Amino acid sequence: MEKQLLSIGQMSKMNHVSISALRLYDEMGLLKPIYVDSQTNYRYYDINQNARLNMIQYMKELGMNLKEIKETLDQKDLNLIEAILIRKKEQTEKEIEDLKLKRSALKRTIYSMERYRKSPKDGTITLEYINTRRIYSMYTPINFYDYDIETYESILNDLKNTLIDHQLPQIYYCNAGTLLKKNDFIHQHYESHDIFIFVDDYFPLQKDVIQIENGMYACIYIDDFNKEKEYAKKLLEYCIEKNYTITGNCICEVLYEMNIFEEDRRSMFFRLQVPVSF
């Protein structure tokens, strides 16, 4: 029985692959037509060649490029195929981790914007329950309370360089916060050498992560870097007035930092907070 040949158009439609792709496969020697009309140069295929085409499409879905597919099919080496697939699996796992980090960063940014829109106005003092959080902290020899915003920018840059040195994703470099020890806050002694970023389950250096326990926090909202000392004093006075016991370090958390509307300075909205018991 004479074989029924398929035109390139029929082969394309049958396998949901473009004609240009079939022509490229022909040029690369990946899938050559079983017959080429010498007068018209029309390409014709045998339906049995679908198996080879299916393999090419499958290998592409696995993330292999055409050069890798050609090398693999030409050598007909099972060990080579396995080695390439293992490498592709590792690459895919890395891409998945990167996507998880990006998704997490997007969720944090959206949450920050929503929280900023719904936050109390500058100077408002509240008592809030705050859930467990985790931070990655960096020590700096500079007491940034002794300096202005320019020095703070320099310390932020040091933090960014630390993340880069550890090959950590730059998506964590946002909304950095600072810590003031409990006794320093109580005695209004402004000395801090700790700057941190909040991290999630996907943060690579989990062993260096510090957990901040959940609980009730006395908080004050601030819209200007230069108001922090003044507002910290107000927050302490509030705690004394309410007979709250301060149980931990004072945290200066940047709730929102999207420098869209100002070009010449960092735009930040803070929540200064201390854990308290009654």
Side-chain angles (χ1 to χ4, degrees):
M1 182 176 180
E2 185 177 350
K3 286 186 178 182
Q4 182 178 0
L5 300 182
L6 302 170
S7 70
I8 192 171
Q10 291 171 318
M11 190 70 167
S12 165
K13 185 175 182 180
M14 178 181 291
N15 291 282
H16 305 280
V17 61
S18 68
I19 291 176
S20 60
L22 289 173
R23 287 173 177 158
L24 177 60
Y25 298 164
D26 181 9
E27 292 170 7
M28 292 183 65
L30 268 170
L31 180 66
K32 300 194 74 66
I34 197 170
Y35 169 71
V36 179
D37 190 306
S38 59
Q39 293 184 343
T40 63
N41 286 326
Y42 287 172
R43 297 171 172 87
Y44 293 93
Y45 296 83
D46 184 340
I47 194 169
N48 290 319
Q49 291 182 286
N50 281 356
R52 173 83 168 194
L53 183 53
N54 288 342
M55 178 58 68
I56 294 169
Q57 292 173 307
Y58 178 67
M59 295 171 101
K60 282 183 66 180
E61 288 296 318
L62 293 176
M64 297 174 67
N65 60 47
L66 293 180
K67 183 179 178 181
E68 290 172 324
I69 295 172
K70 178 74 166 58
E71 179 185 5
T72 302
L73 295 179
D74 284 352
Q75 294 194 27
K76 301 177 182 179
D77 184 342
L78 190 61
N79 291 330
L80 174 64
I81 295 175
E82 184 180 22
I84 291 175
L85 292 178
I86 289 173
R87 186 171 73 246
K88 288 298 177 184
K89 175 177 173 290
E90 292 171 349
Q91 291 175 355
T92 301
E93 288 173 347
K94 176 65 167 58
E95 290 169 2
I96 290 171
E97 291 304 310
D98 289 344
L99 286 172
K100 285 180 179 178
L101 289 172
K102 290 178 182 178
R103 181 182 64 181
S104 180
L106 287 167
K107 290 171 67 176
R108 286 198 308 272
T109 303
I110 293 169
Y111 176 69
S112 292
M113 297 180 75
E114 291 176 345
R115 187 169 59 169
Y116 171 70
R117 285 202 313 270
K118 297 175 182 179
S119 289
K121 65 180 182 179
D122 174 66
T124 301
I125 298 177
T126 62
L127 182 65
E128 304 176 26
Y129 173 81
I130 301 179
N131 213 339
T132 303
R133 295 162 291 174
R134 296 188 298 164
I135 63 171
Y136 174 80
S137 179
M138 183 194 80
Y139 175 84
T140 172
I142 299 173
N143 175 24
F144 39 78
Y145 282 114
D146 289 340
Y147 299 91
D148 54 18
I149 187 69
E150 283 75 19
T151 300
Y152 178 70
E153 289 290 347
S154 177
I155 295 171
L156 284 177
N157 193 65
D158 290 341
L159 174 61
K160 179 169 69 173
N161 289 334
T162 297
L163 296 177
I164 292 172
D165 290 343
H166 285 87
Q167 298 182 327
L168 298 176
Q170 290 303 289
I171 57 174
Y172 286 109
Y173 178 69
C174 64
N175 294 16
T178 58
L179 296 174
L180 182 63
K181 301 296 185 186
K182 178 179 76 170
N183 288 336
D184 287 334
F185 173 76
I186 292 172
H187 296 98
Q188 292 292 283
H189 173 64
Y190 292 97
E191 181 171 359
S192 179
H193 300 276
D194 297 297
I195 189 166
F196 69 84
I197 51 173
F198 288 103
V199 298
D200 52 30
D201 293 339
Y202 307 115
F203 187 72
L205 297 180
Q206 289 295 323
K207 63 183 179 61
D208 298 321
V209 169
I210 301 169
Q211 182 163 296
I212 300 176
E213 296 300 331
N214 59 4
M216 299 304 297
Y217 284 77
C219 308
I220 187 168
Y221 289 80
I222 314 173
D223 65 4
D224 191 304
F225 175 86
N226 296 312
K227 295 179 179 178
E228 185 176 343
K229 290 182 181 180
E230 174 193 350
Y231 281 27
K233 183 179 179 181
K234 290 182 179 181
L235 184 60
L236 177 63
E237 291 171 349
Y238 170 81
C239 292
I240 294 172
E241 177 188 338
K242 297 293 184 179
N243 290 320
Y244 295 156
T245 299
I246 296 168
T247 60
N249 298 333
C250 178
I251 302 169
C252 183
E253 175 189 7
V254 178
L255 295 179
Y256 181 76
E257 183 180 319
M258 293 288 285
N259 301 296
I260 298 172
F261 306 111
E262 297 190 52
E263 297 181 8
D264 58 348
R265 65 191 297 270
R266 188 175 296 271
S267 175
M268 295 179 286
F269 187 71
F270 306 91
R271 178 171 63 175
L272 201 63
Q273 59 207 250
V274 288
V276 296
S277 61
F278 317 124

